[in-house]
Amino acid sequence: MTTGRARTREAVTDVMTEPQIEKVRGYCVLCTAHCATVATVEDGRVTRLDADHDHPNGGAICVKGKAAPELVYNSDRLDYPLRRTNPKGAEDPGWERVGWDEALDDIAARLLDIRERYGAEAVVMARGTASGTSTDDVNGWSSRLLNLIGSPNALSTTHVCNWHRDTAFSYTFGVPQPSPDVLNSGAILLWGHNPSSTQLLLAQDTVTARKRGMKIVVVDPRKVGLGSQADALLQVRPGADGALALAMVHVLIEEGRYDEEFVRDWTNGPFLLRTDTGEPLTEADLEAGGSSGRYVVWDGASNQAVVYDPATRAYLVGGVRPALDGTVRVSLKDGDAVSCEPAFAALARLAASYAPEQSEGVTRVPADDVREAARVLSGNRPVSMFMWNGVGQHTNATQTSRAISTLYALLGDIDALGGNLMLPMAPLRAVDGKEFISSEALSRRIGLEEKPLGPPATAGACAAHDVYTAILEDRPYPVRALINLGSNTVMSNGDPARGREALCALELGVATELFMTPTAELCDYVLPATSFLEMDHLVGGFRHRVDARSHVQYRRRAVDPLEERRPDTWVMFELAKRMGFGDDFWDGDVEAARSYQLEPTGMTLDEVKAHPGGVTLENPRRYRKYADTDGEGRPKGFNNPSGKVEIYSHRLAEHGFPPLPEYVEPALSPLSQPDLAAEYPLVLTNAKVTTFIHSQHRALPSLRKAAPEPSAELHPDTAGEHGVEHKQWMIVESPKGAVRVRANLTRRIIPGVVCVQHGWWQACRELELPGHDPFSGLGANPNGLVDAEHRDPISGSLPHRSFLCRVRPAHDA
């Protein structure tokens, strides 16, 4: 018997030493790339994350994704709902642990009370960016709840992130920037975007395409990532990108390297502009009863003015070959004549004033390099392109995006093989609940009056600086509650000190978070969220890789949530029930709601779950869909007022903004503020760090080892002029504030520029590395260097990437 027992124990020991290993397919949600992954789970613990190579969005994973298992088990993770017991701003918040039911009941009751006393618009919901948080999973549901509450006020960082990449691009093409078909491109233009750090799938595909001969043109003040391999690298002064784009437009036009047929047939470049007013000549100018919504071109064949009708996408007569240049006189209905020129000719004149030789002093890019880059693009079509944050965080960001998209329009490769393809996403049913909110409520969105073409109008999003004003000054009306869903609001926007003041003034602040962020510390309730490895989700399409746009996948959680962590989606459903919206939230049944989403695909939830790697729906590539015709032979055209790609933006003109992509210097630059620049002679910019995402993940040891301290890049010559040495602590100071960072001297950045890193606050306990007070007068938060007073007039973007600063050794502080 004794022997038998011993054998039994040995057998059990042998079993216990064999780990139970499971592979769970999914995708990483730490940034917008959504790289497909395979999680290894050993004995119920996720131990590693690898790339899923058998997935249309697979084949790559960055260091941040590989570190995601550390995110699950980090000792500083929030595990239980917490309630503040001391006043906001107190050194000790007095957090006490509460149950989920108690917390959600109280939050729901207080939200309803605030809505009753102040109106629904007094409730604001802030959401973390899809470009850098896993809250992309909950965006549809949070919008649904906010719309049911009746508030139009969703706070996001789109005004300094993706808005210029997408919506500003749409003011030229009528659609957000489509996915680049890089694997079929002859050349790719990367402008203000380093995919090696922020979108590894695009970097991987670019390298693959380069091996078979594709050319690369990069615009970046730093020689990093793919810029080191580029056939043409244009290291532009931050904020001067619009002038550079116009310089390249000039080369294309001057040297006849643009796609003349595309410009003639599919853009409004032929539309005549009156030289006396700069406005389009319309049918109403030519004849009594004519329409002001019909435009006029000069037909070179018949030598007369011809009317174009956007409603039919056609001229009123056939056989028209509109002129693109020259000046003509056109007789008006009152008998007078007016001088006119095509919009394309007006663009050519504008671009000529920024010819490479003339704008070199503005852009700091040698003229020969500009010409060569334009020739590389025009000589290696089809061209795809991608622009991002590097063009968006300036006071001239919208027109910069317009200039770049106009440059791309001249190449004629939109929706062409190897260009940027307009393909639909998988047809999941929208759940954002737009039907629940009135148009009157939407018209009261914070910031809409000031920015009628910006994010409040086109993206349904408010900017933090406008919300701060509503909280502190009751303009345009009071805001009393702010729900932060993975949004580290005070760290993600300019003027963090004012943000702190605003959050302290709220009646109710709530944060669902992974860690106790600076924003969460200022809230009344902090709710522990799950990481993406601890939550399920249904996705309908992946944004950036063309072949993955129609892929549907149910991402099963790799491990169950630890302690009392809960998914943001669950929190939204539970709040909805408590606020009386249960009927519109499937009575809290998330899986039933996902089945509802799936209905347009014809698949059931169980069918999708049966394919862990997802299902790719049929989505055949069709090119140049703008040329498709309807039953009456009318071409589809582009989703713009003119039905064309708009070199001349009719919407911008209607609201009093320059309709051509005019360049204006950044509000605080060496050229716009020479007196201030004498005191602050350097250009302040920032860039994302390969190891971190915005203000996240500095608590993860494997990542923090690679970048233990906040630093800033500057050229050795610049450092020498200001007495700064490599790896020395230095002060970076702007007219607004100062930070203390390590000097990283490198020749990969152009002289006269200082590139700081956004997001430093978090400590790393395992490595005993400190955190940094984001509100300190001499901390490491560069958002404190930038104010919200200077902003893009259309989007409200702040000059995080083109401000003025100076540097000095820290021992002089």
Side-chain angles (χ1 to χ4, degrees), residues 463-487:
H465 51 261
D466 292 329
V467 172
Y468 296 162
T469 298
I471 296 170
L472 295 171
E473 303 175 25
D474 292 352
R475 291 192 294 116
Y477 46 71
V479 163
R480 294 294 179 261
L482 177 62
I483 304 171
N484 295 275
L485 295 174
S487 172

Side-chain angles (χ1 to χ4, degrees), residues 312-385:
T312 62
R313 307 287 201 260
Y315 299 105
L316 298 190
V317 299
V320 175
R321 185 168 178 79
L324 290 175
D325 53 23
T327 302
V328 296
R329 291 190 65 79
V330 181
S331 298
L332 306 180
K333 61 187 177 185
D334 59 7
D336 291 339
V338 64
S339 177
C340 300
E341 66 176 345
F344 182 76
L347 172 68
R349 281 193 300 103
L350 172 64
S353 64
Y354 292 94
E357 293 74 16
Q358 293 174 244
S359 60
E360 185 175 332
V362 174
T363 67
R364 299 187 186 172
V365 180
D368 289 345
D369 292 353
V370 178
R371 291 188 177 276
E372 177 59 22
R375 292 165 185 162
V376 168
L377 293 174
S378 62
N380 293 277
R381 293 179 54 198
V383 174
S384 61
M385 61 89 69

